Amino acid sequence: MSGIYVHVPFCKSKCTYCDFASYPKEIGKTESYFACLYREIKGQGLKLKDKTFDTVYIGGGTPSIVPANYIAGAIKQIKNCFNLAENSEITIELNPGTVDEDKIKIYKAAGVNRFSVGLQTGYDDQLKRLNRVHTAKDFLLCAKMLKGENVSADILIGLHGQTKEQARNTAALAIAGGVSHISVYALTPEVGTPVYTDYLNGELLSDDEVADIYDDLREFLKNQGFYRYEVSNFAKKGFESKHNLNYWRRGEYIGLGVSASSFIGGRRFTNTFSVDEYMNAVIYNKSPEISSDEITGKDAEFEYIMLALRTAEGLDVKKFNAATGADFYNDYKAALAKKSRFLDIADDRVKIRDEYLYVQNDIILEFMK
Amino acid sequence: MSVEQKKIRNFCIVAHIDHGKSTLADRLMEMTGQVSERDMEEQLLDSMDLERERGITIKLTPVRMFYKAKDGEEYVFNLIDTPGHVDFSYEVSRSLKACEGAILIVDATQGVQAQTLANAYLAIDNDLEIMPVINKMDLASANPDAAAEEIENILGIDASDAPRISAKSGLNVDEVLEQIVKKIPAPTGDPSAPLKALIFDSFYDNFKGVICFVRVVDGSIKVGTRIKTFMSGKAFTVTETGVFSPKMLPTDGLSAGEVGYIAASVKSIEDTEVGDTITDADNPADKPLPGYKKALPMVFSGVFPLDGSKYNDLKDALLKLKLNDAALSIEPDNSVALGFGFRCGFLGLLHMDVIQERIEREFNLEIITTAPSVSYKVYKTDGSMLVVENPTHLPPVTEIAYMEEPVINAQIFTPPEFVGPIMELCQYKRGVYKDLVYLDKSRVSLKYTLPLNEIIYDFFDQLKSRTKGYASLDYEIAGYEKSDLVKLDMLLNGDVCDALSIIVHKDKAYERGRQIAERLKDVIPRQMFEIPIQAAVGGKIIARETVKAYRKDVLAKCYGGDVTRKKKLLEKQKEGKKKMRSIGSVEIPSEAFIEILKTDNDK
């Protein structure tokens, strides 16, 4: 499995928790940005012509804010320049306040077959506080337009003053909208965001309170037929995100556009976070990369473990050994023994027990050498 | 070329802390031209950074000066500096042995203080001629008549012609120089008798081996002399002799009455113990100089490297420090919680502090220290006696008939208004009242017998805070007394953490147990499971706290671009974990071991 990620660094306004490469003021550069993006797609496609890719993920920012034909153009360019498998999963992120029937029609025609909608919360006052550009009703309208499609919703927990019931109701709203996949993210106070200021002022929920909401929501989702296949991701069977599973299985992926990261041939590299720098580089046939790391040996092994243990499927020992040349049970004997009470070890598979998945850092650290 | 004994004056300066000892020493050196004003660094004798920062003298530093007296003769002065703190009274006694006289400085604004007394008595005990000097005449509040009266009344020393000086401004310091010549006796050793030289300090030089600071009492010594010490009996050939100017300056030799240093390629510190007598191996004296008592460490603490792999570095550091510090004792120790380290014995709390700080500063080692303890005598039911310096080594309760703990005779000087709070404190610290004397209207001397183990806990801090810093404490070990002592264990998740065990009086066990449990609760981070913290005495739980399990410790998102970032975050966490120690399955930060020593005042 290999994936293609495309970044759209524009949005209508910055959400208070957002620290992604997303620039409301640069939206005027959309046309030239996409011109450069097509060029980068072509260049990378040539370099990677021997590889087959199975997923495309168009994220942001807000991909749905730009004219839909640019998105269609990007997908077309990818299909032209890469070996994209038949029936590839093609996902786009949507902000419910920025979509309409026409856009969705164009996405679908271009081959998009999975939609990830940013609901965040079903409460308008909370949406407002997060500086989201949509309401709960917008979500329902958006969901209606996507009826019958493979839809996912993102929701946030740990919002200012949020209760378990509110989180449940938000999930219920998403389910009522017909989604088959829900990502549940705890609000994280990233340095430099307004939410970080709230955090410093003690206005966010404590970790214990967030954990309460999370546990409650997990229970609720389970009863609704959504199983947790990764720390933050819940899906009905068969509706897991293939693109994201590829990250956790340490599969390869190419990232295209501003701030996009790639992992190809054991090397992790990331593009510049500046739109102008990106365009300059691409126009002059230079690499927009700003960092590059060869990941080898123990580092590669640790990445594999760190990522695999996030998932319900856990770490496949045979695949791990084959991929890294290590002997898992032997090389990590001490860590396994020390953390055995938190692990399920059976049939060449090691996973973190259900109840400890949300406190996994300490377990994972034991495997770091 | 040796100096005539009658032209030599060997002396030290004794004083209460802050009464101006180092300043006077500086002034003497300056006025005898030993150091030019340009080179004059503030307080030259206190050469260690630590000494200068704390304003205390720890190491002895002798200095030789030339003084042309009014009688027209040139005299050689050897000033041997002495530490000013009660912890170092042994070091004081060593330096006193090398002198014939002592300058006693009394602050004209404060009069006789606790250490004035202690040090003056020590000097008198060593048969030194005491030469009183009244300092700080430059201060407006100076009351030299009152100070002189106190010297006469309290110490019984004639202070009628005591120079009234300002070491700071130099006022009347010339009078001090003259009196040194007139009042302090010249050495009276026999230059032709077999060699007898007293080692009063030493340090290790990487090129020359052990450098011994010596006072030659009889005979003489020069390069090539074969020497031996009485204790080890091993012989060495002298490779260098010299004096302190104050830097080491090689000379042809040293003879009776002189103070200087010798090097003889001595590799092992045990071969030249401080306090020992050096003699000529080929023409030995029949007996050593009268005894130096060996300094007995009174306070013990575990010292462990923060990073377990630095054990050998810590060992080297301690051995090097011991070279200069006869009072430091070192024994290998092994703790379940802290791994391999050392049980170190110190003269007192300040000494302990100084050593710990020097390990960290001079050797760049991060260390963990455990709660200080004293040495207990444990009388077992089988009739045998065991000295226990480490709570971990206490035998099972069933084997103990009774225990004894060291007690001190404490003398506390205080303005009268604090007598009440001090008596309350002493009572609380299990003190036994002995005596209360009004020295004058503004000063009271209180005497108590107190268990040393109460002193090493937080007595100084308490005394300071209850008397706004006005009271001073002086103490001496008074022996051992029977006491109802128990071992207080701390259990983390059911496992005893050996490094946290302490020995306390039965009546204090509950209170200390509760305090430590509360403190541990604050310093132990939440982990994957609930951690009960229990204090136990003889298997009985007397206090309990709980560190709740954490509920959320996860990286919320981990997609394409997050992998590297998250990995770095985890690496940082891992780095932090290295400073943790595991007790069973519980990880505790190294600060925890120090944190529990803190009193409520520090909180």
Side-chain angles (χ1 to χ4, degrees), chain B residues 482-505:
Chain B
K482 203 167 163 177
S483 179
D484 208 350
L485 298 162
V486 292
K487 182 168 151 227
L488 175 66
D489 288 319
M490 300 306 298
L491 284 76
L492 299 176
N493 204 22
D495 298 321
V496 172
C497 177
D498 58 358
L500 292 173
S501 295
I502 53 171
I503 291 173
V504 289
H505 191 264

Short mmCIF file of all heavy atoms in Angstrom, two decimals, chain B residues 482-505:
data_model
loop_
_atom_site.label_atom_id
_atom_site.label_comp_id
_atom_site.label_asym_id
_atom_site.label_seq_id
_atom_site.Cartn_x
_atom_site.Cartn_y
_atom_site.Cartn_z
N LYS B 482 20.18 5.93 75.46
CA LYS B 482 19.15 4.97 75.10
C LYS B 482 17.92 5.73 74.60
O LYS B 482 17.57 6.78 75.15
CB LYS B 482 18.79 4.16 76.35
CG LYS B 482 18.18 2.82 76.04
CD LYS B 482 18.15 2.00 77.32
CE LYS B 482 17.18 0.85 77.16
NZ LYS B 482 17.16 0.00 78.34
N SER B 483 17.29 5.18 73.57
CA SER B 483 16.16 5.90 73.02
C SER B 483 15.20 4.94 72.35
O SER B 483 15.58 3.88 71.86
CB SER B 483 16.68 6.92 71.99
OG SER B 483 15.61 7.63 71.43
N ASP B 484 13.94 5.33 72.35
CA ASP B 484 12.90 4.48 71.78
C ASP B 484 12.78 4.78 70.29
O ASP B 484 12.00 5.64 69.89
CB ASP B 484 11.58 4.78 72.50
CG ASP B 484 10.67 3.58 72.49
OD1 ASP B 484 10.98 2.61 71.76
OD2 ASP B 484 9.64 3.61 73.19
N LEU B 485 13.58 4.10 69.50
CA LEU B 485 13.65 4.43 68.08
C LEU B 485 13.00 3.35 67.23
O LEU B 485 13.01 2.17 67.58
CB LEU B 485 15.12 4.57 67.66
CG LEU B 485 15.90 5.67 68.36
CD1 LEU B 485 17.39 5.44 68.21
CD2 LEU B 485 15.50 7.03 67.80
N VAL B 486 12.44 3.78 66.12
CA VAL B 486 11.86 2.82 65.19
C VAL B 486 12.30 3.15 63.77
O VAL B 486 12.71 4.27 63.48
CB VAL B 486 10.31 2.84 65.24
CG1 VAL B 486 9.81 2.31 66.55
CG2 VAL B 486 9.78 4.23 64.95
N LYS B 487 12.21 2.15 62.92
CA LYS B 487 12.51 2.39 61.52
C LYS B 487 11.21 2.71 60.79
O LYS B 487 10.24 1.96 60.90
CB LYS B 487 13.17 1.16 60.91
CG LYS B 487 13.56 1.35 59.47
CD LYS B 487 14.47 0.20 59.01
CE LYS B 487 14.31 -0.06 57.54
NZ LYS B 487 14.14 -1.47 57.25
N LEU B 488 11.22 3.82 60.10
CA LEU B 488 10.04 4.23 59.34
C LEU B 488 10.30 3.90 57.88
O LEU B 488 11.25 4.39 57.28
CB LEU B 488 9.81 5.74 59.52
CG LEU B 488 8.69 6.37 58.71
CD1 LEU B 488 7.33 5.85 59.15
CD2 LEU B 488 8.71 7.90 58.86
N ASP B 489 9.47 3.02 57.34
CA ASP B 489 9.63 2.63 55.93
C ASP B 489 8.57 3.31 55.09
O ASP B 489 7.45 3.52 55.54
CB ASP B 489 9.46 1.12 55.76
CG ASP B 489 10.63 0.35 56.32
OD1 ASP B 489 11.77 0.81 56.12
OD2 ASP B 489 10.40 -0.68 56.96
N MET B 490 8.93 3.61 53.86
CA MET B 490 7.94 4.12 52.92
C MET B 490 7.71 3.04 51.87
O MET B 490 8.65 2.52 51.29
CB MET B 490 8.43 5.41 52.25
CG MET B 490 8.73 6.55 53.21
SD MET B 490 7.37 6.98 54.33
CE MET B 490 6.11 7.50 53.18
N LEU B 491 6.44 2.71 51.65
CA LEU B 491 6.11 1.69 50.66
C LEU B 491 5.44 2.36 49.47
O LEU B 491 4.53 3.17 49.63
CB LEU B 491 5.13 0.67 51.25
CG LEU B 491 5.69 -0.37 52.22
CD1 LEU B 491 5.94 0.24 53.59
CD2 LEU B 491 4.73 -1.53 52.34
N LEU B 492 5.94 2.02 48.30
CA LEU B 492 5.33 2.52 47.08
C LEU B 492 4.72 1.33 46.37
O LEU B 492 5.43 0.39 46.03
CB LEU B 492 6.37 3.19 46.19
CG LEU B 492 7.08 4.40 46.82
CD1 LEU B 492 8.16 4.92 45.89
CD2 LEU B 492 6.08 5.50 47.11
N ASN B 493 3.45 1.38 46.16
CA ASN B 493 2.75 0.27 45.53
C ASN B 493 3.06 -1.04 46.25
O ASN B 493 3.21 -2.08 45.63
CB ASN B 493 3.16 0.18 44.05
CG ASN B 493 2.11 -0.51 43.21
OD1 ASN B 493 0.93 -0.55 43.60
ND2 ASN B 493 2.50 -1.08 42.10
N GLY B 494 3.22 -0.97 47.53
CA GLY B 494 3.45 -2.18 48.31
C GLY B 494 4.91 -2.56 48.50
O GLY B 494 5.22 -3.42 49.31
N ASP B 495 5.82 -1.92 47.73
CA ASP B 495 7.23 -2.26 47.87
C ASP B 495 7.93 -1.22 48.74
O ASP B 495 7.77 -0.02 48.53
CB ASP B 495 7.92 -2.26 46.50
CG ASP B 495 7.34 -3.32 45.57
OD1 ASP B 495 7.05 -4.42 46.08
OD2 ASP B 495 7.19 -3.04 44.37
N VAL B 496 8.75 -1.70 49.67
CA VAL B 496 9.54 -0.79 50.49
C VAL B 496 10.60 -0.12 49.61
O VAL B 496 11.29 -0.78 48.86
CB VAL B 496 10.24 -1.54 51.65
CG1 VAL B 496 11.20 -0.60 52.37
CG2 VAL B 496 9.22 -2.10 52.61
N CYS B 497 10.68 1.19 49.71
CA CYS B 497 11.73 1.90 48.99
C CYS B 497 12.86 2.15 49.96
O CYS B 497 12.76 3.03 50.82
CB CYS B 497 11.18 3.22 48.45
SG CYS B 497 12.44 4.18 47.63
N ASP B 498 13.92 1.35 49.84
CA ASP B 498 14.96 1.38 50.88
C ASP B 498 15.58 2.75 51.05
O ASP B 498 15.91 3.16 52.16
CB ASP B 498 16.03 0.31 50.63
CG ASP B 498 16.70 0.46 49.26
OD1 ASP B 498 16.30 1.35 48.50
OD2 ASP B 498 17.61 -0.33 48.97
N ALA B 499 15.71 3.48 49.95
CA ALA B 499 16.38 4.77 50.03
C ALA B 499 15.56 5.82 50.78
O ALA B 499 16.04 6.89 51.09
CB ALA B 499 16.71 5.28 48.64
N LEU B 500 14.32 5.49 51.07
CA LEU B 500 13.48 6.46 51.77
C LEU B 500 13.29 6.13 53.25
O LEU B 500 12.64 6.86 53.98
CB LEU B 500 12.10 6.57 51.08
CG LEU B 500 12.08 7.19 49.68
CD1 LEU B 500 10.69 7.08 49.07
CD2 LEU B 500 12.51 8.63 49.71
N SER B 501 13.86 5.02 53.67
CA SER B 501 13.69 4.62 55.07
C SER B 501 14.48 5.55 55.99
O SER B 501 15.57 5.98 55.66
CB SER B 501 14.19 3.19 55.28
OG SER B 501 13.39 2.29 54.55
N ILE B 502 13.90 5.85 57.12
CA ILE B 502 14.62 6.64 58.11
C ILE B 502 14.40 6.04 59.50
O ILE B 502 13.45 5.29 59.72
CB ILE B 502 14.18 8.13 58.14
CG1 ILE B 502 12.67 8.25 58.29
CG2 ILE B 502 14.62 8.85 56.89
CD1 ILE B 502 12.20 9.67 58.54
N ILE B 503 15.29 6.39 60.41
CA ILE B 503 15.11 5.96 61.80
C ILE B 503 14.63 7.18 62.58
O ILE B 503 15.23 8.25 62.50
CB ILE B 503 16.43 5.41 62.37
CG1 ILE B 503 16.76 4.07 61.67
CG2 ILE B 503 16.32 5.22 63.88
CD1 ILE B 503 18.11 3.50 62.02
N VAL B 504 13.53 7.03 63.27
CA VAL B 504 12.97 8.16 64.02
C VAL B 504 12.56 7.71 65.42
O VAL B 504 12.41 6.52 65.69
CB VAL B 504 11.71 8.74 63.34
CG1 VAL B 504 12.05 9.49 62.08
CG2 VAL B 504 10.67 7.67 63.07
N HIS B 505 12.36 8.69 66.26
CA HIS B 505 11.84 8.39 67.58
C HIS B 505 10.39 7.93 67.43
O HIS B 505 9.66 8.44 66.59
CB HIS B 505 11.92 9.61 68.49
CG HIS B 505 11.66 9.29 69.92
ND1 HIS B 505 10.43 9.44 70.49
CD2 HIS B 505 12.47 8.77 70.87
CE1 HIS B 505 10.49 9.05 71.76
NE2 HIS B 505 11.72 8.64 72.02
#
